[in-house]
Every structure is written in C-alpha cells, then in structure tokens.
Amino acid sequence: MSTIGAIFSDSSHPPVFLAEIGTFFNQDVAAGVRIVEEIARVRDNIKALPIMLKGEVLHDAEICRKTEIQEHYVDEDGVVHAENYRSLIERKVVPLEDYAAVFRRASSLGLELVLSVYDKAGAIFAVEQKAVMLKLASSNLRHAALHEAVAALNVPLIVDEGRAPLSAVAVTIERLRRLGADHILLEHSPDGHPALPEAHNLNIINSYRQAFGLPVGLSDHYNGEEMLYAATALGYSVLEKGIVPDRAASDQDISHAMPLDRMAKTLRKIYDVYLAVSGAPRRPQHRVIKGNVGTSAHMGIVTAKPVQAGETVSLESVSFAFPAEDGIGSEYWELVKGWSFKHALPQGVLLHWADIYTA
C-alpha cells in the first residue's frame, strides 16, 4: 500500500489534495506565506479530505538556456501572452533561503510538503525541508541524471507522465525501480494549459494501473473544477491543482488555477463524490432526515374491508398502503398470503405479525 507522508493514497481512502502554490507568489515571500496560511485554514475546516502543500524548488535560472524561445500562456479571458522563456524563469526563481521561509511556515502549520525539483541541489534541499515526496515534473520525465539523484535520496516520488507515450513512461518507471525507488505515484497530466475536456483521457488510469501497478494522480490543468470530480469518481489517488489568491493578476498557469475563495467548497464536493462512489453500504444514518428504517413511501399490508377471525389473508381481504411503519411490509406478501386472521379487524388497519397466523 502506497503512502504519502502519513496519508494513505489508494482507493480505500479519499484522494489526497495537493494544493499547488508553485511559483505563483513570484519571489514575494510574504505573499507565499499568506497563501500557505490560507490553505492551512481551509485544511482545518475540511478535515475529512487529506490536504498537503505542493510547491517547487526553482532556485537556479541556469536550468533554462538563454535563447529567443517564447513561452505562451493564456489568461482568464482567453488572451494568449508570450514571454521570453529565460526571462520568465528568471522572474520565477526563488533563493533557497526564501523557499525555506515559506516551507518552514507550512511545516509549523502542520502542512506536509510535496516539492517538485529540477536539479540535485534542489532535491537535497527539499529533503532537508522534510518534504514527504519529491515530484519529477513533466519536463523531467526523461532526465536520467535527475532520476539517479532523487532515487538516491530514498524519498517517495511522484512522476508526471508529461503527456508522453506509454513507452517513455515505462522507461522512466523501470529506471527508477532499478535505482531503488519503490514508492512511486504516477501522475497523469492532460495536454494543454489550460487543458480542454477532450484532451483529458481520464480513463488512462486503467492502463497505468494495469501496466505499472501504481497509484495514479491527476495534475489538473482544467479551467474549472469539473475534472477533479471526474477523477475522484474514477478512483484517482491524488489530485493536484494550482491555488492562487483571489483576483490574481494574469500570469503563467493562472488560467487553470483555483482562487482561494473556491477551494473549501470544491474540496467538500470532492469528498461528497468520494463518498458517493466509495462503496459503503446503505444505512439509515446516511439519510439527511433521520427516522424509521423504512421510508415514508414504503407500503405495508392493510385490511381492505372489515375481516373476521379465521378469514383468509387474500387480495380480497387486504390491500397495500404507506407508510408501513412497524407493521408487515409489502415485501412479505408472498409469505403471508393464505394465512388467517387471529381476530376481527376493521377496515384500514395496518397488519402486524400478532394479527395473523399460519396453520
């Protein structure tokens, strides 16, 4: 059974929600701390659903070459923006000491950390911050040297499949296992930022489970919350979603992130979906309105006319009406037909077992 920190991540438990803060705070440590504190407040009010803090360690701009390549992203209005990729990375890079301040605050609030890493130094730092899991982002699915570095740290891993073919995913999983990584969660990452509904292929969870025998998570890039609910119903173990301050300015990945003011309501709905598909047996205490075991529409057997002692229970002497309450329910008709009345009864009386007998 796989675990993330102290939280199980399999189909017998609710999905783990990874509240992704990434680089949304844009080098503003105070803003990063505020987002962490808001996420912790939501966590305190949604105790039934495991919530963890997802961040990243992007500390060195040299992981991106100085080129003229443009990164494109979409804002909430569908407008496409272009920015030099190196310039984007430079304004997102955060020194390790500043990351440490954000992560210390998260730990002080009891939020377990899951951190994406891009180089060996960042991975070592993440472990020093007591991250319970490291993530290999989609861009690093094929990064063999980084795979060696993270496997050596003996920390559970999330592998983002990066919209790669199954064969490429298989190579990475086999490599990590060969290197000794035996606690892996595979994360499905639909194509697009934001991802259109038809790009999701959420049923790929079945292929991944069959091929690798691993728990599967979703990196949600949809502009909305609907894919979180669908993934919950399909049995995804982990749900990762970007979390941003309300009315955040347009920036990379903002278009498919969730504003803080929607987080609590969404997580309650996720838990409701989990309960709806978890296979728990139906019991009276699951009803909104408490009362008798039977519902008010459950029919019982009643006298259709005045009857005499010894008269036969038949469709001439009885009929059916609700509520059954504590009387003989209509489901017992095949059993009691042909029995006899013990005593005379007026019309419209709900029958009880003490009213009838069988020879």
Side-chain angles (χ1 to χ4, degrees):
M1 183 179 294
S2 271
T3 60
I4 300 180
I7 302 171
F8 293 104
S9 64
D10 65 16
S11 59
S12 66
H13 297 80
V16 178
F17 186 81
L18 301 185
E20 162 72 80
I21 65 169
T23 56
F24 290 132
F25 55 95
N26 283 333
Q27 302 177 338
D28 184 341
V29 175
V33 168
R34 286 195 297 272
I35 299 173
V36 166
E37 291 171 344
E38 288 298 323
I39 290 171
R41 273 192 277 273
V42 173
R43 184 274 319 272
D44 291 342
N45 290 317
I46 313 288
K47 297 186 182 300
L49 193 71
I51 300 171
M52 305 174 72
L53 187 74
K54 168 64 180 57
E56 62 183 20
V57 184
L58 182 61
H59 68 103
D60 184 0
E62 294 307 313
I63 66 167
C64 180
R65 294 167 48 233
K66 295 179 180 179
T67 71
E68 299 304 314
I69 293 176
Q70 300 285 297
E71 171 72 351
H72 296 83
Y73 52 88
V74 181
D75 64 21
E76 297 87 337
D77 299 320
V79 177
V80 178
H81 298 262
E83 183 175 355
N84 178 268
Y85 201 6
R86 171 69 183 214
S87 297
L88 172 64
I89 295 299
E90 287 178 351
R91 72 178 178 84
K92 292 288 185 179
V93 161
V94 175
L96 293 180
E97 59 268 24
D98 288 345
Y99 271 129
V102 176
F103 299 152
R104 278 197 304 270
R105 183 56 178 147
S107 296
S108 74
L109 294 168
L111 283 169
E112 290 190 297
L113 297 172
V114 176
L115 301 177
S116 291
V117 296
Y118 299 90
D119 58 15
K120 183 176 180 178
I124 293 171
F125 170 79
V127 173
E128 291 172 348
Q129 301 306 303
K130 299 189 169 32
V132 299
M133 225 173 181
L134 304 183
K135 178 177 175 180
L136 295 170
S138 58
S139 58
N140 290 321
L141 180 72
R142 297 171 171 85
H143 193 335
L146 183 58
H147 298 170
E148 290 180 2
V150 296
L153 294 171
N154 196 30
V155 178
L157 301 175
I158 293 178
V159 176
D160 191 314
E161 42 90 298
R163 303 166 294 283
L166 189 63
S167 58
V169 178
V171 168
T172 293
I173 297 301
E174 191 279 331
R175 178 189 294 123
L176 289 169
R177 284 172 164 164
R178 188 176 68 250
L179 291 168
D182 54 3
H183 293 289
I184 301 172
L185 181 136
L186 184 58
E187 197 167 72
H188 175 45
S189 184
D191 189 20
H193 294 72
L196 297 173
E198 57 267 31
H200 276 74
N201 187 22
L202 293 179
N203 280 322
I204 200 170
I205 184 175
N206 299 316
S207 299
Y208 284 153
R209 283 173 169 168
Q210 183 176 5
F212 306 116
L214 297 174
V216 181
L218 173 68
S219 181
D220 184 23
H221 300 155
Y222 184 68
N223 184 4
E225 291 81 49
E226 291 85 348
M227 300 306 155
L228 296 171
Y229 309 141
T232 301
L234 288 169
Y236 279 72
S237 297
V238 165
L239 306 173
E240 180 181 341
K241 181 76 168 176
I243 303 295
V244 294
D246 305 331
R247 296 167 295 281
S250 293
D251 200 348
Q252 184 191 38
D253 294 340
I254 290 288
S255 64
H256 53 82
M258 182 192 302
L260 274 163
D261 65 0
R262 293 215 302 265
M263 184 177 171
K265 185 175 182 179
T266 298
L267 296 190
R268 289 190 182 96
K269 288 183 178 180
I270 289 171
Y271 188 64
D272 286 347
V273 172
Y274 166 74
L275 291 177
V277 300
S278 63
R282 178 180 293 181
R283 297 188 179 94
Q285 61 265 35
H286 290 168
R287 297 198 308 272
V288 174
I289 301 173
K290 310 300 181 184
N292 296 328
V293 173
T295 69
S296 61
H298 181 190
M299 287 190 172
I301 303 174
V302 301
T303 53
K305 64 182 185 64
V307 297
Q308 302 302 314
E311 189 172 342
T312 300
V313 176
S314 68
L315 291 177
E316 286 72 39
S317 60
V318 301
S319 60
F320 308 93
F322 52 76
E325 298 182 281
D326 60 349
I328 302 175
S330 58
E331 66 269 28
Y332 293 105
W333 168 245
E334 290 184 330
L335 173 66
V336 303
K337 66 181 177 181
W339 290 25
S340 301
F341 291 98
K342 287 184 178 179
H343 40 253
L345 293 171
Q347 180 180 350
V349 173
L350 176 65
L351 294 187
H352 293 76
W353 294 108
D355 297 326
I356 57 177
Y357 68 94
T358 181

